[in-house]
mmCIF file of all heavy atoms in Angstrom:
data_model
loop_
_atom_site.group_PDB
_atom_site.id
_atom_site.type_symbol
_atom_site.label_atom_id
_atom_site.label_comp_id
_atom_site.label_asym_id
_atom_site.label_seq_id
_atom_site.Cartn_x
_atom_site.Cartn_y
_atom_site.Cartn_z
ATOM 1 N N ALA Y 284 -18.294 -86.687 -30.200
ATOM 2 C CA ALA Y 284 -16.854 -86.955 -30.280
ATOM 3 C C ALA Y 284 -16.506 -87.547 -31.629
ATOM 4 O O ALA Y 284 -15.482 -87.220 -32.228
ATOM 5 C CB ALA Y 284 -16.440 -87.904 -29.157
ATOM 6 N N LYS Y 285 -17.350 -88.461 -32.156
ATOM 7 C CA LYS Y 285 -17.107 -89.069 -33.459
ATOM 8 C C LYS Y 285 -17.102 -88.029 -34.562
ATOM 9 O O LYS Y 285 -16.251 -88.018 -35.437
ATOM 10 C CB LYS Y 285 -18.156 -90.135 -33.747
ATOM 11 C CG LYS Y 285 -17.952 -91.415 -32.957
ATOM 12 C CD LYS Y 285 -19.006 -92.444 -33.330
ATOM 13 C CE LYS Y 285 -18.815 -93.727 -32.508
ATOM 14 N NZ LYS Y 285 -19.835 -94.737 -32.845
ATOM 15 N N THR Y 286 -18.055 -87.155 -34.539
ATOM 16 C CA THR Y 286 -18.107 -86.116 -35.569
ATOM 17 C C THR Y 286 -16.894 -85.215 -35.472
ATOM 18 O O THR Y 286 -16.350 -84.758 -36.480
ATOM 19 C CB THR Y 286 -19.388 -85.294 -35.418
ATOM 20 O OG1 THR Y 286 -19.462 -84.797 -34.062
ATOM 21 C CG2 THR Y 286 -20.626 -86.127 -35.727
ATOM 22 N N ALA Y 287 -16.445 -84.986 -34.228
ATOM 23 C CA ALA Y 287 -15.250 -84.148 -34.052
ATOM 24 C C ALA Y 287 -14.025 -84.831 -34.652
ATOM 25 O O ALA Y 287 -13.189 -84.212 -35.290
ATOM 26 C CB ALA Y 287 -15.034 -83.861 -32.568
ATOM 27 N N LYS Y 288 -13.915 -86.179 -34.445
ATOM 28 C CA LYS Y 288 -12.789 -86.932 -34.997
ATOM 29 C C LYS Y 288 -12.799 -86.877 -36.511
ATOM 30 O O LYS Y 288 -11.790 -86.694 -37.162
ATOM 31 C CB LYS Y 288 -12.838 -88.377 -34.512
ATOM 32 C CG LYS Y 288 -12.372 -88.552 -33.076
ATOM 33 C CD LYS Y 288 -12.388 -90.022 -32.673
ATOM 34 C CE LYS Y 288 -11.946 -90.175 -31.217
ATOM 35 N NZ LYS Y 288 -11.974 -91.612 -30.817
ATOM 36 N N LYS Y 289 -13.992 -87.093 -37.099
ATOM 37 C CA LYS Y 289 -14.101 -87.050 -38.552
ATOM 38 C C LYS Y 289 -13.678 -85.688 -39.093
ATOM 39 O O LYS Y 289 -12.968 -85.567 -40.073
ATOM 40 C CB LYS Y 289 -15.534 -87.371 -38.987
ATOM 41 C CG LYS Y 289 -15.895 -88.829 -38.837
ATOM 42 C CD LYS Y 289 -17.320 -89.075 -39.314
ATOM 43 C CE LYS Y 289 -17.685 -90.547 -39.173
ATOM 44 N NZ LYS Y 289 -19.081 -90.805 -39.612
ATOM 45 N N GLY Y 290 -14.146 -84.664 -38.390
ATOM 46 C CA GLY Y 290 -13.795 -83.321 -38.817
ATOM 47 C C GLY Y 290 -12.299 -83.064 -38.726
ATOM 48 O O GLY Y 290 -11.708 -82.445 -39.605
ATOM 49 N N SER Y 291 -11.652 -83.593 -37.652
ATOM 50 C CA SER Y 291 -10.214 -83.386 -37.495
ATOM 51 C C SER Y 291 -9.439 -84.118 -38.582
ATOM 52 O O SER Y 291 -8.419 -83.628 -39.082
ATOM 53 C CB SER Y 291 -9.761 -83.869 -36.111
ATOM 54 O OG SER Y 291 -10.015 -85.265 -35.972
ATOM 55 N N GLN Y 292 -9.912 -85.331 -38.984
ATOM 56 C CA GLN Y 292 -9.249 -86.073 -40.057
ATOM 57 C C GLN Y 292 -9.322 -85.313 -41.378
ATOM 58 O O GLN Y 292 -8.357 -85.232 -42.133
ATOM 59 C CB GLN Y 292 -9.875 -87.450 -40.203
ATOM 60 C CG GLN Y 292 -9.512 -88.402 -39.073
ATOM 61 C CD GLN Y 292 -10.187 -89.746 -39.217
ATOM 62 O OE1 GLN Y 292 -10.951 -89.952 -40.171
ATOM 63 N NE2 GLN Y 292 -9.930 -90.648 -38.291
ATOM 64 N N LYS Y 293 -10.483 -84.734 -41.651
ATOM 65 C CA LYS Y 293 -10.644 -83.967 -42.884
ATOM 66 C C LYS Y 293 -9.721 -82.753 -42.904
ATOM 67 O O LYS Y 293 -9.093 -82.454 -43.911
ATOM 68 C CB LYS Y 293 -12.090 -83.514 -43.035
ATOM 69 C CG LYS Y 293 -13.041 -84.642 -43.403
ATOM 70 C CD LYS Y 293 -14.457 -84.121 -43.552
ATOM 71 C CE LYS Y 293 -15.422 -85.254 -43.925
ATOM 72 N NZ LYS Y 293 -16.816 -84.751 -44.052
ATOM 73 N N THR Y 294 -9.650 -82.090 -41.760
ATOM 74 C CA THR Y 294 -8.790 -80.897 -41.701
ATOM 75 C C THR Y 294 -7.324 -81.275 -41.890
ATOM 76 O O THR Y 294 -6.561 -80.559 -42.542
ATOM 77 C CB THR Y 294 -8.971 -80.184 -40.351
ATOM 78 O OG1 THR Y 294 -8.783 -81.132 -39.284
ATOM 79 C CG2 THR Y 294 -10.356 -79.567 -40.245
ATOM 80 N N LYS Y 295 -6.903 -82.456 -41.334
ATOM 81 C CA LYS Y 295 -5.523 -82.902 -41.507
ATOM 82 C C LYS Y 295 -5.222 -83.184 -42.970
ATOM 83 O O LYS Y 295 -4.166 -82.833 -43.498
ATOM 84 C CB LYS Y 295 -5.273 -84.159 -40.672
ATOM 85 C CG LYS Y 295 -5.099 -83.872 -39.190
ATOM 86 C CD LYS Y 295 -4.831 -85.151 -38.413
ATOM 87 C CE LYS Y 295 -4.680 -84.868 -36.933
ATOM 88 N NZ LYS Y 295 -4.445 -86.113 -36.158
ATOM 89 N N LYS Y 296 -6.172 -83.867 -43.656
ATOM 90 C CA LYS Y 296 -5.989 -84.164 -45.076
ATOM 91 C C LYS Y 296 -5.881 -82.875 -45.893
ATOM 92 O O LYS Y 296 -5.070 -82.764 -46.805
ATOM 93 C CB LYS Y 296 -7.142 -85.022 -45.595
ATOM 94 C CG LYS Y 296 -7.098 -86.456 -45.106
ATOM 95 C CD LYS Y 296 -8.254 -87.254 -45.664
ATOM 96 C CE LYS Y 296 -8.209 -88.693 -45.178
ATOM 97 N NZ LYS Y 296 -9.355 -89.478 -45.689
ATOM 98 N N GLU Y 297 -6.738 -81.907 -45.560
ATOM 99 C CA GLU Y 297 -6.693 -80.633 -46.282
ATOM 100 C C GLU Y 297 -5.368 -79.917 -46.061
ATOM 101 O O GLU Y 297 -4.802 -79.322 -46.969
ATOM 102 C CB GLU Y 297 -7.861 -79.742 -45.827
ATOM 103 C CG GLU Y 297 -9.207 -80.238 -46.321
ATOM 104 C CD GLU Y 297 -10.356 -79.415 -45.754
ATOM 105 O OE1 GLU Y 297 -10.051 -78.487 -44.957
ATOM 106 O OE2 GLU Y 297 -11.519 -79.689 -46.086
ATOM 107 N N GLU Y 298 -4.839 -80.018 -44.823
ATOM 108 C CA GLU Y 298 -3.566 -79.369 -44.519
ATOM 109 C C GLU Y 298 -2.421 -80.011 -45.301
ATOM 110 O O GLU Y 298 -1.535 -79.331 -45.815
ATOM 111 C CB GLU Y 298 -3.286 -79.443 -43.021
ATOM 112 C CG GLU Y 298 -4.171 -78.501 -42.203
ATOM 113 C CD GLU Y 298 -3.924 -78.651 -40.720
ATOM 114 O OE1 GLU Y 298 -3.051 -79.464 -40.362
ATOM 115 O OE2 GLU Y 298 -4.581 -77.959 -39.935
ATOM 116 N N THR Y 299 -2.445 -81.355 -45.372
ATOM 117 C CA THR Y 299 -1.386 -82.048 -46.116
ATOM 118 C C THR Y 299 -1.446 -81.732 -47.604
ATOM 119 O O THR Y 299 -0.427 -81.663 -48.280
ATOM 120 C CB THR Y 299 -1.498 -83.569 -45.915
ATOM 121 O OG1 THR Y 299 -2.840 -83.988 -46.221
ATOM 122 C CG2 THR Y 299 -1.166 -83.951 -44.479
ATOM 123 N N LYS Y 300 -2.670 -81.581 -48.128
ATOM 124 C CA LYS Y 300 -2.809 -81.221 -49.533
ATOM 125 C C LYS Y 300 -2.259 -79.825 -49.818
ATOM 126 O O LYS Y 300 -1.676 -79.564 -50.855
ATOM 127 C CB LYS Y 300 -4.277 -81.293 -49.953
ATOM 128 C CG LYS Y 300 -4.798 -82.703 -50.101
ATOM 129 C CD LYS Y 300 -6.260 -82.682 -50.529
ATOM 130 C CE LYS Y 300 -6.795 -84.107 -50.683
ATOM 131 N NZ LYS Y 300 -8.224 -84.121 -51.087
ATOM 132 N N LYS Y 301 -2.458 -78.924 -48.873
ATOM 133 C CA LYS Y 301 -2.022 -77.557 -49.077
ATOM 134 C C LYS Y 301 -0.512 -77.409 -49.014
ATOM 135 O O LYS Y 301 0.048 -76.478 -49.573
ATOM 136 C CB LYS Y 301 -2.680 -76.653 -48.034
ATOM 137 C CG LYS Y 301 -4.185 -76.462 -48.233
ATOM 138 C CD LYS Y 301 -4.768 -75.604 -47.140
ATOM 139 C CE LYS Y 301 -6.287 -75.451 -47.313
ATOM 140 N NZ LYS Y 301 -6.857 -74.644 -46.215
ATOM 141 N N LYS Y 302 0.197 -78.350 -48.291
ATOM 142 C CA LYS Y 302 1.642 -78.238 -48.145
ATOM 143 C C LYS Y 302 2.332 -78.378 -49.491
ATOM 144 O O LYS Y 302 2.031 -79.296 -50.252
ATOM 145 C CB LYS Y 302 2.162 -79.303 -47.180
ATOM 146 C CG LYS Y 302 1.842 -79.014 -45.723
ATOM 147 C CD LYS Y 302 2.410 -80.074 -44.825
ATOM 148 C CE LYS Y 302 2.075 -79.796 -43.359
ATOM 149 N NZ LYS Y 302 2.629 -80.848 -42.478
ATOM 150 N N PRO Y 303 3.278 -77.532 -49.816
ATOM 151 C CA PRO Y 303 3.986 -77.653 -51.102
ATOM 152 C C PRO Y 303 4.941 -78.842 -51.107
ATOM 153 O O PRO Y 303 5.626 -79.105 -50.123
ATOM 154 C CB PRO Y 303 4.750 -76.319 -51.192
ATOM 155 C CG PRO Y 303 4.933 -75.884 -49.773
ATOM 156 C CD PRO Y 303 3.710 -76.379 -49.030
ATOM 157 N N VAL Y 304 4.957 -79.576 -52.212
ATOM 158 C CA VAL Y 304 5.847 -80.738 -52.340
ATOM 159 C C VAL Y 304 7.255 -80.237 -52.653
ATOM 160 O O VAL Y 304 7.450 -79.465 -53.597
ATOM 161 C CB VAL Y 304 5.358 -81.675 -53.473
ATOM 162 C CG1 VAL Y 304 6.295 -82.864 -53.610
ATOM 163 C CG2 VAL Y 304 3.929 -82.122 -53.184
ATOM 164 N N PRO Y 305 8.269 -80.644 -51.853
ATOM 165 C CA PRO Y 305 9.632 -80.154 -52.106
ATOM 166 C C PRO Y 305 10.175 -80.686 -53.431
ATOM 167 O O PRO Y 305 10.010 -81.854 -53.769
ATOM 168 C CB PRO Y 305 10.440 -80.713 -50.930
ATOM 169 C CG PRO Y 305 9.650 -81.892 -50.455
ATOM 170 C CD PRO Y 305 8.221 -81.573 -50.719
ATOM 171 N N ARG Y 306 10.819 -79.844 -54.186
ATOM 172 C CA ARG Y 306 11.390 -80.234 -55.466
ATOM 173 C C ARG Y 306 12.747 -80.896 -55.272
ATOM 174 O O ARG Y 306 13.539 -80.460 -54.444
ATOM 175 C CB ARG Y 306 11.568 -79.004 -56.361
ATOM 176 C CG ARG Y 306 10.279 -78.522 -56.989
ATOM 177 C CD ARG Y 306 10.587 -77.434 -57.995
ATOM 178 N NE ARG Y 306 9.395 -77.016 -58.714
ATOM 179 C CZ ARG Y 306 9.409 -76.128 -59.692
ATOM 180 N NH1 ARG Y 306 10.553 -75.565 -60.050
ATOM 181 N NH2 ARG Y 306 8.282 -75.800 -60.310
ATOM 182 N N ARG Y 307 12.975 -81.958 -56.045
ATOM 183 C CA ARG Y 307 14.268 -82.626 -55.995
ATOM 184 C C ARG Y 307 15.199 -82.022 -57.036
ATOM 185 O O ARG Y 307 14.777 -81.736 -58.157
ATOM 186 C CB ARG Y 307 14.106 -84.131 -56.259
ATOM 187 C CG ARG Y 307 13.389 -84.857 -55.139
ATOM 188 C CD ARG Y 307 13.287 -86.327 -55.431
ATOM 189 N NE ARG Y 307 12.653 -87.054 -54.340
ATOM 190 C CZ ARG Y 307 12.413 -88.358 -54.358
ATOM 191 N NH1 ARG Y 307 12.725 -89.071 -55.427
ATOM 192 N NH2 ARG Y 307 11.856 -88.934 -53.316
ATOM 193 N N ARG Y 308 16.427 -81.893 -56.644
ATOM 194 C CA ARG Y 308 17.396 -81.332 -57.567
ATOM 195 C C ARG Y 308 17.675 -82.317 -58.693
ATOM 196 O O ARG Y 308 17.703 -83.525 -58.473
ATOM 197 C CB ARG Y 308 18.692 -81.017 -56.830
ATOM 198 C CG ARG Y 308 18.553 -79.896 -55.815
ATOM 199 C CD ARG Y 308 19.876 -79.615 -55.142
ATOM 200 N NE ARG Y 308 19.753 -78.541 -54.166
ATOM 201 C CZ ARG Y 308 20.772 -78.102 -53.434
ATOM 202 N NH1 ARG Y 308 21.962 -78.657 -53.570
ATOM 203 N NH2 ARG Y 308 20.582 -77.116 -52.572
ATOM 204 N N PRO Y 309 17.886 -81.833 -59.892
ATOM 205 C CA PRO Y 309 18.203 -82.767 -60.988
ATOM 206 C C PRO Y 309 19.533 -83.476 -60.747
ATOM 207 O O PRO Y 309 20.504 -82.862 -60.298
ATOM 208 C CB PRO Y 309 18.294 -81.839 -62.213
ATOM 209 C CG PRO Y 309 18.555 -80.473 -61.642
ATOM 210 C CD PRO Y 309 17.866 -80.446 -60.307
ATOM 211 N N LEU Y 310 19.542 -84.778 -61.039
ATOM 212 C CA LEU Y 310 20.742 -85.583 -60.798
ATOM 213 C C LEU Y 310 21.711 -85.440 -61.951
ATOM 214 O O LEU Y 310 21.328 -85.239 -63.106
ATOM 215 C CB LEU Y 310 20.352 -87.055 -60.630
ATOM 216 C CG LEU Y 310 19.434 -87.354 -59.448
ATOM 217 C CD1 LEU Y 310 19.000 -88.809 -59.502
ATOM 218 C CD2 LEU Y 310 20.141 -87.080 -58.137
ATOM 219 N N MET Y 311 22.989 -85.590 -61.632
ATOM 220 C CA MET Y 311 24.004 -85.578 -62.672
ATOM 221 C C MET Y 311 23.966 -86.882 -63.447
ATOM 222 O O MET Y 311 23.445 -87.893 -62.986
ATOM 223 C CB MET Y 311 25.392 -85.381 -62.040
ATOM 224 C CG MET Y 311 25.535 -84.087 -61.252
ATOM 225 S SD MET Y 311 27.170 -83.931 -60.541
ATOM 226 C CE MET Y 311 26.961 -82.415 -59.597
ATOM 227 N N SER Y 312 24.534 -86.859 -64.624
ATOM 228 C CA SER Y 312 24.522 -88.067 -65.454
ATOM 229 C C SER Y 312 25.367 -89.176 -64.846
ATOM 230 O O SER Y 312 25.074 -90.349 -64.975
ATOM 231 C CB SER Y 312 25.028 -87.757 -66.864
ATOM 232 O OG SER Y 312 26.340 -87.204 -66.800
ATOM 233 N N LYS Y 313 26.448 -88.815 -64.127
ATOM 234 C CA LYS Y 313 27.320 -89.803 -63.491
ATOM 235 C C LYS Y 313 27.613 -89.357 -62.067
ATOM 236 O O LYS Y 313 27.708 -88.156 -61.793
ATOM 237 C CB LYS Y 313 28.629 -89.943 -64.274
ATOM 238 C CG LYS Y 313 28.470 -90.589 -65.636
ATOM 239 C CD LYS Y 313 29.826 -90.737 -66.314
ATOM 240 C CE LYS Y 313 29.683 -91.391 -67.684
ATOM 241 N NZ LYS Y 313 30.998 -91.545 -68.362
ATOM 242 N N PRO Y 314 27.774 -90.305 -61.136
ATOM 243 C CA PRO Y 314 28.128 -89.910 -59.771
ATOM 244 C C PRO Y 314 29.531 -89.311 -59.723
ATOM 245 O O PRO Y 314 30.412 -89.676 -60.496
ATOM 246 C CB PRO Y 314 28.061 -91.238 -58.995
ATOM 247 C CG PRO Y 314 28.199 -92.300 -60.022
ATOM 248 C CD PRO Y 314 27.600 -91.758 -61.272
ATOM 249 N N VAL Y 315 29.714 -88.379 -58.795
ATOM 250 C CA VAL Y 315 31.004 -87.684 -58.699
ATOM 251 C C VAL Y 315 32.078 -88.607 -58.154
ATOM 252 O O VAL Y 315 33.218 -88.614 -58.607
ATOM 253 C CB VAL Y 315 30.861 -86.433 -57.815
ATOM 254 C CG1 VAL Y 315 32.196 -85.728 -57.647
ATOM 255 C CG2 VAL Y 315 29.835 -85.489 -58.411
ATOM 256 N N ASP Y 316 31.745 -89.427 -57.150
ATOM 257 C CA ASP Y 316 32.725 -90.323 -56.547
ATOM 258 C C ASP Y 316 32.107 -91.704 -56.400
ATOM 259 O O ASP Y 316 31.097 -92.025 -57.041
ATOM 260 C CB ASP Y 316 33.198 -89.771 -55.196
ATOM 261 C CG ASP Y 316 32.005 -89.395 -54.318
ATOM 262 O OD1 ASP Y 316 30.923 -89.967 -54.532
ATOM 263 O OD2 ASP Y 316 32.154 -88.531 -53.439
ATOM 264 N N ASP Y 317 32.717 -92.553 -55.550
ATOM 265 C CA ASP Y 317 32.227 -93.919 -55.396
ATOM 266 C C ASP Y 317 31.216 -94.057 -54.261
ATOM 267 O O ASP Y 317 30.950 -95.164 -53.802
ATOM 268 C CB ASP Y 317 33.406 -94.878 -55.171
ATOM 269 C CG ASP Y 317 34.231 -94.489 -53.949
ATOM 270 O OD1 ASP Y 317 33.966 -93.420 -53.389
ATOM 271 O OD2 ASP Y 317 35.127 -95.258 -53.569
ATOM 272 N N VAL Y 318 30.657 -92.948 -53.781
ATOM 273 C CA VAL Y 318 29.597 -92.982 -52.774
ATOM 274 C C VAL Y 318 28.375 -92.302 -53.381
ATOM 275 O O VAL Y 318 28.387 -91.103 -53.632
ATOM 276 C CB VAL Y 318 30.026 -92.260 -51.481
ATOM 277 C CG1 VAL Y 318 28.897 -92.307 -50.453
ATOM 278 C CG2 VAL Y 318 31.292 -92.878 -50.919
ATOM 279 N N TYR Y 319 27.323 -93.092 -53.628
ATOM 280 C CA TYR Y 319 26.144 -92.543 -54.288
ATOM 281 C C TYR Y 319 24.937 -93.429 -53.988
ATOM 282 O O TYR Y 319 25.084 -94.535 -53.469
ATOM 283 C CB TYR Y 319 26.367 -92.453 -55.804
ATOM 284 C CG TYR Y 319 26.803 -93.747 -56.446
ATOM 285 C CD1 TYR Y 319 25.879 -94.680 -56.909
ATOM 286 C CD2 TYR Y 319 28.154 -94.052 -56.566
ATOM 287 C CE1 TYR Y 319 26.274 -95.866 -57.472
ATOM 288 C CE2 TYR Y 319 28.567 -95.251 -57.137
ATOM 289 C CZ TYR Y 319 27.627 -96.147 -57.586
ATOM 290 O OH TYR Y 319 28.035 -97.337 -58.133
ATOM 291 N N LEU Y 320 23.762 -92.934 -54.318
ATOM 292 C CA LEU Y 320 22.524 -93.672 -54.087
ATOM 293 C C LEU Y 320 22.317 -94.671 -55.228
ATOM 294 O O LEU Y 320 22.184 -94.277 -56.388
ATOM 295 C CB LEU Y 320 21.345 -92.702 -54.005
ATOM 296 C CG LEU Y 320 21.436 -91.645 -52.891
ATOM 297 C CD1 LEU Y 320 20.269 -90.678 -52.982
ATOM 298 C CD2 LEU Y 320 21.474 -92.307 -51.527
ATOM 299 N N THR Y 321 22.270 -95.936 -54.896
ATOM 300 C CA THR Y 321 22.188 -96.972 -55.934
ATOM 301 C C THR Y 321 20.858 -96.966 -56.664
ATOM 302 O O THR Y 321 20.776 -97.475 -57.781
ATOM 303 C CB THR Y 321 22.420 -98.356 -55.305
ATOM 304 O OG1 THR Y 321 21.479 -98.545 -54.236
ATOM 305 C CG2 THR Y 321 23.833 -98.480 -54.775
ATOM 306 N N TRP Y 322 19.803 -96.418 -56.045
ATOM 307 C CA TRP Y 322 18.507 -96.407 -56.754
ATOM 308 C C TRP Y 322 18.374 -95.204 -57.689
ATOM 309 O O TRP Y 322 17.401 -95.070 -58.393
ATOM 310 C CB TRP Y 322 17.339 -96.446 -55.766
ATOM 311 C CG TRP Y 322 17.360 -95.385 -54.720
ATOM 312 C CD1 TRP Y 322 16.862 -94.134 -54.815
ATOM 313 C CD2 TRP Y 322 17.905 -95.498 -53.407
ATOM 314 N NE1 TRP Y 322 17.058 -93.437 -53.647
ATOM 315 C CE2 TRP Y 322 17.688 -94.247 -52.763
ATOM 316 C CE3 TRP Y 322 18.536 -96.513 -52.702
ATOM 317 C CZ2 TRP Y 322 18.100 -94.014 -51.441
ATOM 318 C CZ3 TRP Y 322 18.944 -96.275 -51.400
ATOM 319 C CH2 TRP Y 322 18.727 -95.047 -50.790
ATOM 320 N N TYR Y 323 19.356 -94.308 -57.682
ATOM 321 C CA TYR Y 323 19.371 -93.195 -58.618
ATOM 322 C C TYR Y 323 20.326 -93.427 -59.787
ATOM 323 O O TYR Y 323 20.109 -92.952 -60.891
ATOM 324 C CB TYR Y 323 19.774 -91.905 -57.899
ATOM 325 C CG TYR Y 323 18.664 -91.281 -57.080
ATOM 326 C CD1 TYR Y 323 18.937 -90.648 -55.874
ATOM 327 C CD2 TYR Y 323 17.347 -91.328 -57.509
ATOM 328 C CE1 TYR Y 323 17.925 -90.073 -55.109
ATOM 329 C CE2 TYR Y 323 16.334 -90.763 -56.756
ATOM 330 C CZ TYR Y 323 16.614 -90.133 -55.563
ATOM 331 O OH TYR Y 323 15.607 -89.573 -54.821
ATOM 332 N N TYR Y 324 21.405 -94.130 -59.533
ATOM 333 C CA TYR Y 324 22.437 -94.327 -60.555
ATOM 334 C C TYR Y 324 22.619 -95.803 -60.865
ATOM 335 O O TYR Y 324 22.495 -96.659 -59.982
ATOM 336 C CB TYR Y 324 23.777 -93.760 -60.088
ATOM 337 C CG TYR Y 324 23.772 -92.276 -59.858
ATOM 338 C CD1 TYR Y 324 23.653 -91.760 -58.580
ATOM 339 C CD2 TYR Y 324 23.894 -91.395 -60.929
ATOM 340 C CE1 TYR Y 324 23.652 -90.385 -58.362
ATOM 341 C CE2 TYR Y 324 23.897 -90.029 -60.723
ATOM 342 C CZ TYR Y 324 23.775 -89.529 -59.437
ATOM 343 O OH TYR Y 324 23.781 -88.187 -59.232
ATOM 344 N N GLU Y 325 22.931 -96.090 -62.096
ATOM 345 C CA GLU Y 325 23.229 -97.468 -62.468
ATOM 346 C C GLU Y 325 24.600 -97.856 -61.935
ATOM 347 O O GLU Y 325 25.512 -97.026 -61.834
ATOM 348 C CB GLU Y 325 23.214 -97.622 -63.995
ATOM 349 C CG GLU Y 325 21.835 -97.469 -64.614
ATOM 350 C CD GLU Y 325 21.868 -97.721 -66.105
ATOM 351 O OE1 GLU Y 325 22.953 -98.070 -66.614
ATOM 352 O OE2 GLU Y 325 20.824 -97.557 -66.749
ATOM 353 N N ARG Y 326 24.728 -99.153 -61.616
ATOM 354 C CA ARG Y 326 26.010 -99.641 -61.114
ATOM 355 C C ARG Y 326 27.044 -99.584 -62.242
ATOM 356 O O ARG Y 326 26.785 -100.080 -63.336
ATOM 357 C CB ARG Y 326 25.857 -101.077 -60.611
ATOM 358 C CG ARG Y 326 27.061 -101.585 -59.866
ATOM 359 C CD ARG Y 326 26.767 -102.930 -59.256
ATOM 360 N NE ARG Y 326 27.911 -103.432 -58.510
ATOM 361 C CZ ARG Y 326 27.919 -104.566 -57.821
ATOM 362 N NH1 ARG Y 326 26.822 -105.313 -57.803
ATOM 363 N NH2 ARG Y 326 28.980 -104.965 -57.178
ATOM 364 N N PRO Y 327 28.218 -98.984 -62.007
ATOM 365 C CA PRO Y 327 29.191 -98.870 -63.101
ATOM 366 C C PRO Y 327 29.774 -100.217 -63.486
ATOM 367 O O PRO Y 327 29.909 -101.118 -62.659
ATOM 368 C CB PRO Y 327 30.271 -97.955 -62.515
ATOM 369 C CG PRO Y 327 30.159 -98.129 -61.033
ATOM 370 C CD PRO Y 327 28.706 -98.374 -60.766
ATOM 371 N N SER Y 328 30.115 -100.368 -64.746
ATOM 372 C CA SER Y 328 30.752 -101.589 -65.234
ATOM 373 C C SER Y 328 32.071 -101.221 -65.881
ATOM 374 O O SER Y 328 32.229 -100.124 -66.433
ATOM 375 C CB SER Y 328 29.848 -102.305 -66.250
ATOM 376 O OG SER Y 328 29.569 -101.444 -67.338
ATOM 377 N N TYR Y 329 33.013 -102.141 -65.828
ATOM 378 C CA TYR Y 329 34.362 -101.891 -66.314
ATOM 379 C C TYR Y 329 34.799 -103.009 -67.251
ATOM 380 O O TYR Y 329 34.311 -104.129 -67.171
ATOM 381 C CB TYR Y 329 35.349 -101.790 -65.138
ATOM 382 C CG TYR Y 329 34.947 -100.805 -64.079
ATOM 383 C CD1 TYR Y 329 34.224 -101.216 -62.960
ATOM 384 C CD2 TYR Y 329 35.260 -99.454 -64.188
ATOM 385 C CE1 TYR Y 329 33.844 -100.320 -61.982
ATOM 386 C CE2 TYR Y 329 34.888 -98.544 -63.204
ATOM 387 C CZ TYR Y 329 34.178 -98.981 -62.111
ATOM 388 O OH TYR Y 329 33.790 -98.090 -61.145
ATOM 389 N N GLY Y 330 35.737 -102.690 -68.110
ATOM 390 C CA GLY Y 330 36.326 -103.702 -68.975
ATOM 391 C C GLY Y 330 37.248 -104.611 -68.182
ATOM 392 O O GLY Y 330 37.593 -104.333 -67.027
#
C-alpha cells in the first residue's frame, strides 16, 4: 500500500507538471474605472 501511495503521488506531480500554465492578459497602463485590483495598479493620487 505504501509503494502504491508513493507511486500515486509521483503520478500526480507529473500530471501537474504537464498541465499548461494559463497566460495572463497584459494589463493596461491605467485602470478603466474606479474598480480595479489594487495589487496590479498603483493607487491614484490627485492634486
Side-chain angles (χ1 to χ4, degrees):
K285 285 182 181 179
T286 54
K288 283 182 181 179
K289 287 181 180 179
S291 61
Q292 287 178 359
K293 287 181 180 179
T294 52
K295 283 181 181 179
K296 287 181 180 179
E297 289 175 358
E298 287 177 1
T299 52
K300 286 180 180 179
K301 290 178 182 178
K302 286 182 181 180
V304 179
R306 283 188 175 183
R307 291 181 177 178
R308 293 181 180 180
L310 298 173
M311 300 180 184
S312 57
K313 291 182 180 180
V315 177
D316 50 25
D317 58 353
V318 180
Y319 53 88
L320 300 175
T321 55
W322 54 86
Y323 282 144
Y324 297 100
E325 292 184 3
R326 190 173 181 177
S328 59
Y329 307 94

